[in-house]
Amino acid sequence: MSNQNKELSFFEGVGYYFDNASKHVDIDEGLLALIKECNNVLRLKFPIKDENGKVRVFEAYRVQHSHHRMPTKGGIRYSTHIDQEEVMALASLMTYKCALVDVPFGGAKGGIKIDSKNETPEVVEKVTRRYTTELIKKNFIGPGLDVPAPDYGSGEREMAWIVDTYLTLNNGMIDGLGCVTGKPVSLGGVKGRTEATGRGVAYGLKEVFSFEEDMAKIGLTTGLKDKSVVVQGLGNVGYYSALFMQEYGCKVISIAEYEGAIYNENGLDVKEVFNHRKATGSILNFPGATNLSKSGDALELECDILIPAALENQITVDNMERIKAKVIGEAANGPVTAQASEYLAKKGIMVIPDIYLNAGGVTVSYFEWLKNLSHVRFGRIQKKHEEERNDLIANLLEKMTGKKMDDMERNVLSKGAEEIDLVNSGLAETMAKAYHGIREVWVNSNGKFDMRTAAFVLAISKVGSDYKSMGIWP
Ligand code: GLU
């Protein structure tokens, strides 16, 4: 890094990763320059009138990083901290993320400068609908153009307002439901999307922990059972990551939120912690757990796996030397700064990069979009047929073995796949396959670069080969 004393910004960090990885890909310089840049950057200012009749002006963004595949795709962040560079960085990460998990979209991201928790739902709704209208006017939204989704500070509620606004202004558009993902299931959403990012994190880490030689290098056994886990953030991604890690047999020893952190060496019950925070308004004072004085203390605990699942720039030059985790699973986007990431990798800590590990959300968004375009729920057409065939096989098995199955065995064997089964198995397969690809590049580098660089090398190569197949580039 050029200046050791100055930490790179999130946006600069993404550029730094790109440049680093570019040295290891065989792609024309001009094409690399094209891939790196954000293609379209839209900055908006728009007014809304609040309940008191006061006119308020909001600032918002939509950035489309790459059009090598269409539509472009990425969430909308609702936060007072957003700025153009942050949205550009996040849009770039979306391109690489989609490429890694073979989701055929270009990357995009949106941001609205709003403190939605402290605004009335009426204001958030007006802002969301106005933002959507602005995107429509500028051709920045549509099932084949650009498809937003939830991100930090937004969820199903906002996605419902977006699709409703879009359909109102595009009455009769047959594929209109595919203009946004992360919608409520009753409004064209897909089962499993809400928990998809967290589920993807757990699937990804399960894969990471299945390689004996990698685990031996960091002094761990294979498998997630009994591994100690620290999670930062109890929002959608953090909560579901923690929950699924617990389901895999991990001990979630600490959870941090902005008001503080709690610790119990024997493991916390994730659901109960969530309910406690909902009931009391704070994660602190959870029965049986110790309060940690600062939220950031949780990051520095001794543990097998640290999962930062909040925002960017959480592990920096300031705390990197005190990190004791053996594996860091980046569930958030950009939680480790570029400088800290290099330091940790050199120290032998496995940093599983965000562009891979949190790709479960966009993967299931892709499934939702496919469902919207096909106008049919996954499993609807084949489920009964599958069950009838499975029943025939079960009957045959009973006949051949002379043994009768009990009801549970019969059920397991006969059951046809529901939408949620197909979504989860598609996600599991995607996360496993993508990890194998990244790991191969990483292992083949013979220690030349870390796993993040490997992920960038693979992603850039994939985007580059898409461009090359258009026949424009050498
Ligand atoms: N906001 C999520 C992300 O950063 C999901 C994006 C999407 O589903 O399009 O990956």
Side-chain angles (χ1 to χ4, degrees):
M1 213 154 295
S2 54
N3 180 353
Q4 287 295 325
N5 300 318
K6 186 186 164 282
E7 184 127 55
L8 297 179
S9 71
F10 179 33
F11 179 67
E12 289 166 338
V14 174
Y16 176 79
Y17 295 143
F18 184 94
D19 293 340
N20 238 354
S22 296
K23 293 177 207 144
H24 308 283
V25 267
D26 181 24
I27 292 182
D28 177 82
E29 237 176 68
L31 179 49
L32 279 173
L34 173 72
I35 297 172
K36 188 180 175 187
E37 289 302 319
C38 287
N39 290 358
N40 292 357
V41 181
L42 176 67
R43 176 179 162 277
L44 299 162
K45 289 264 187 184
F46 54 78
I48 63 123
K49 210 181 240 181
D50 72 12
E51 303 93 318
N52 308 316
K54 192 173 155 217
V55 174
R56 293 172 57 193
V57 177
F58 284 85
E59 180 180 323
Y61 299 89
R62 184 72 186 171
V63 174
Q64 295 170 351
H65 171 257
S66 176
H67 295 121
H68 70 289
R69 296 238 178 178
M70 291 295 281
T72 52
K73 187 89 189 75
I76 307 172
R77 181 164 288 202
Y78 285 51
S79 153
T80 48
H81 298 293
I82 58 130
D83 57 36
Q84 186 173 316
E85 283 208 335
E86 183 191 23
V87 185
M88 285 167 76
L90 290 163
S92 316
L93 291 181
M94 284 308 302
T95 294
Y96 310 128
K97 197 184 295 190
C98 289
L100 285 179
V101 287
D102 290 332
V103 164
F105 297 143
K109 201 78 167 197
I112 305 179
K113 219 180 184 94
I114 186 170
D115 180 6
S116 46
K117 279 202 190 83
N118 291 315
E119 295 282 1
T120 61
E122 288 73 24
V123 167
V124 183
E125 178 175 354
K126 273 193 176 178
V127 168
T128 305
R129 288 187 183 276
R130 180 64 195 250
Y131 176 72
T132 310
T133 309
E134 292 296 326
L135 295 184
I136 295 169
K137 283 200 290 193
K138 272 107 189 169
N139 244 355
F140 262 69
I141 183 170
L145 293 174
D146 189 354
V147 182
D151 196 77
Y152 181 85
S154 60
E156 279 188 0
R157 182 184 69 162
E158 287 73 18
M159 303 308 117
W161 290 328
I162 292 173
V163 72
D164 183 55
T165 309
Y166 186 82
L167 290 177
T168 305
L169 296 173
N170 290 281
N171 190 22
M173 189 198 258
I174 186 119
D175 291 330
L177 279 179
C179 73
V180 66
T181 59
K183 302 178 292 289
V185 175
S186 55
L187 216 61
V190 74
K191 293 216 172 105
R193 173 63 186 87
T194 309
E195 58 272 35
T197 311
R199 196 181 277 281
V201 168
Y203 283 156
L205 288 168
K206 180 169 165 256
E207 217 51 46
V208 171
F209 275 72
S210 68
F211 287 89
E212 206 169 341
E213 47 184 301
D214 301 346
M215 290 301 109
K217 274 191 206 142
I218 52 174
L220 289 175
T221 54
T222 54
L224 289 175
K225 196 159 174 6
D226 292 328
K227 299 292 184 296
S228 57
V229 176
V230 172
V231 179
Q232 183 202 34
L234 205 54
N236 173 286
V237 178
Y239 171 63
Y240 284 112
S241 301
L243 193 68
F244 295 125
M245 292 304 275
Q246 187 182 329
E247 279 181 13
Y248 274 139
C250 291
K251 270 193 300 182
V252 180
I253 58 166
S254 179
I255 302 179
E257 254 298 338
Y258 65 90
E259 68 270 16
I262 51 171
Y263 172 79
N264 182 338
E265 62 174 341
N266 300 316
L268 300 155
D269 186 287
V270 177
K271 243 185 214 154
E272 279 178 20
V273 174
F274 183 83
N275 291 337
H276 166 80
R277 186 165 189 253
K278 213 169 157 191
T280 66
S282 168
I283 202 169
L284 297 170
N285 304 322
F286 179 69
T290 313
N291 291 337
L292 300 183
S293 53
K294 285 198 285 84
S295 169
D297 290 351
L299 299 173
E300 297 168 19
L301 288 169
E302 193 108 37
C303 64
D304 297 323
I305 311 167
L306 169 61
I307 303 181
L311 285 170
E312 59 263 21
N313 298 347
Q314 299 301 304
I315 299 170
T316 67
V317 283
D318 295 328
N319 59 359
M320 64 186 187
E321 284 165 20
R322 296 191 297 275
I323 302 294
K324 297 175 205 78
K326 297 192 168 111
V327 175
I328 298 180
E330 293 188 330
N333 289 308
V336 182
T337 63
Q339 236 156 321
S341 181
E342 281 192 348
Y343 170 86
L344 295 169
K346 278 199 191 108
K347 215 174 141 186
I349 296 176
M350 266 179 106
V351 182
I352 314 301
D354 49 2
I355 51 171
Y356 161 65
L357 199 63
N358 71 28
V362 77
T363 301
V364 176
S365 275
Y366 171 45
F367 300 159
E368 180 176 332
W369 182 78
L370 291 174
K371 176 186 180 181
N372 295 150
L373 298 198
S374 62
H375 301 266
V376 64
R377 168 170 48 80
F378 292 116
R380 175 167 174 182
I381 291 174
Q382 72 273 35
K383 183 166 175 272
K384 190 75 194 147
H385 174 73
E386 246 176 47
E387 284 176 352
E388 283 167 1
R389 280 186 70 92
N390 291 348
D391 254 340
L392 285 177
I393 296 169
N395 291 345
L396 206 64
L397 268 174
E398 283 186 343
K399 212 166 135 194
M400 283 164 70
T401 58
K403 261 174 63 187
K404 193 143 177 58
M405 293 178 200
D406 63 30
D407 284 352
M408 210 186 62
E409 288 165 338
R410 165 71 69 161
N411 247 339
V412 169
L413 197 69
S414 295
K415 190 179 163 288
E418 301 273 4
E419 181 169 87
I420 187 72
D421 304 318
L422 294 166
V423 164
N424 288 342
S425 73
L427 176 60
E429 162 72 8
T430 302
M431 293 307 291
K433 191 167 173 281
Y435 186 68
H436 296 171
I438 298 165
R439 186 179 175 275
E440 195 181 319
V441 177
W442 176 55
V443 171
N444 287 344
S445 86
N446 286 321
K448 247 199 303 197
F449 47 74
D450 59 16
M451 197 179 290
R452 188 189 312 280
T453 310
F456 268 85
V457 165
L458 188 57
I460 296 169
S461 310
K462 285 185 175 195
V463 177
S465 93
D466 279 352
Y467 270 116
K468 281 184 190 171
S469 61
M470 293 173 191
I472 313 169
W473 300 87

